[in-house]
């Protein structure tokens, strides 16, 4: 009876092992499918946020420049003065072009080419800082009212915010996602090797016949012997 109970307990553990293995494989497959769906995206969420901020940079500088044109004598007259008769010491047109330069380089590098390096943002930030510092020192913008302070400062700050976003948010987050995906893929490849192990001898153990069965066989033998004795007599 003890051997029968041990066999039943072992047999009852087999479905549990199989169920556990199937649950683990199902969970891993679900995670792999989730990562595959993420990979199918054209661009990651954090990188898309960065590209949106770069677009905001261009649109915000453009809006400020248009407001400056309108305040200082009308858009048409100021466009002719600042664009057609460009003067480095008095025009804000070059700050607008600097925002266009940042937008073009960063969108091409991190949205179209999907670079995972910081060299493109380093170039745009270095060029922006050098140009704006030289512009403030050599030009006469500070004597042209609030926009002489506002446009250079905002352009400078936006360039550094873009650098911070890429270096501390986009690249680390994407590297972490890639490492996590690689670990899930490794676990998926190991999953078939971690299935239920080989069955032990105890799982194939056949219990001995019970005492009731042996008693019935003895009774049959006695009846057969009695029948033979009767026939002989």
């Amino acid at each position: 009876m003890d051997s029968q109970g041990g066999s039943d307990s072992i047999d009852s553990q087999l479905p549990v092992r199989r169920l556990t293995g199937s649950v683990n494989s199902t969970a891993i497959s679900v995670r792999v499918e989730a990562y595959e769906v993420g990979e199918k995206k054209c661009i990651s969420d954090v990188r898309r946020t960065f590209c949106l901020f770069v677009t905001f940079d261009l649109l915000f500088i453009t809006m400020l420049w248009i407001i400056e044109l309108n305040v200082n004598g009308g858009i048409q007259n100021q466009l002719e003065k600042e664009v057609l008769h460009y003067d480095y010491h008095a025009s804000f047109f070059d700050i607008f072009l600097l925002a266009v330069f940042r937008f073009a380089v960063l969108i091409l590098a991190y949205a179209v080419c999907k670079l995972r390096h910081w060299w493109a943002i380093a170039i745009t930030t270095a060029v922006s800082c050098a140009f704006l510092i030289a512009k403030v020192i050599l030009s006469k913008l500070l004597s042209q009212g609030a926009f002489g302070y506002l446009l250079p400062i905002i352009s400078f700050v936006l360039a550094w915010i873009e650098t911070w976003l890429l270096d501390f948010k986009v690249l680390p987050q994407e590297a972490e996602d890639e490492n996590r995906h690689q670990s899930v893929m490794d676990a998926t490849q190991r999953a078939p090797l971690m299935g239920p192990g080989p069955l032990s001898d105890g799982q194939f153990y056949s219990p001995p016949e019970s005492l009731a069965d042996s008693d019935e066989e003895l009774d049959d033998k006695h009846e057969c012997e009695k029948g033979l004795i009767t026939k002989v007599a």
Side-chain angles (χ1 to χ4, degrees), residues 133-176:
I133 292 173
K135 180 85 172 175
V136 170
I137 294 174
L138 300 177
S139 68
K140 302 176 181 178
L141 295 181
L142 302 181
S143 62
Q144 297 186 19
F147 285 98
Y149 298 89
L150 194 61
L151 275 170
I153 292 174
I154 290 179
S155 183
F156 186 89
V157 171
L158 290 176
W160 277 102
I161 292 177
E162 290 167 354
T163 304
W164 177 81
L165 280 176
L166 183 76
D167 200 23
F168 290 93
K169 296 296 182 180
V170 178
L171 299 182
Q173 182 65 41
E174 290 183 347
E176 182 180 354

Side-chain angles (χ1 to χ4, degrees), residues 183-221:
S183 63
V184 171
M185 294 301 295
D186 293 340
T188 306
Q189 293 175 359
R190 292 194 303 267
L193 303 177
M194 298 173 63
L199 298 176
S200 63
D201 295 337
Q203 295 171 352
F204 290 103
Y205 176 74
S206 298
E209 296 178 352
S210 63
L211 295 177
D213 293 339
S214 61
D215 291 340
E216 290 178 358
E217 290 180 356
L218 292 174
D219 292 339
D220 292 339
K221 289 180 181 180

Side-chain angles (χ1 to χ4, degrees), residues 85-117:
H85 305 286
Y86 170 75
D87 183 8
Y88 173 79
H89 296 85
S91 177
F92 293 96
F93 179 60
D94 46 13
I95 297 180
F96 165 74
L97 290 181
L98 188 63
V100 174
F101 164 74
R102 285 197 304 270
F103 174 81
V105 172
L106 296 179
I107 293 298
L108 178 63
Y110 297 109
V112 179
C113 299
K114 299 179 182 179
L115 293 181
R116 295 190 176 184
H117 200 273

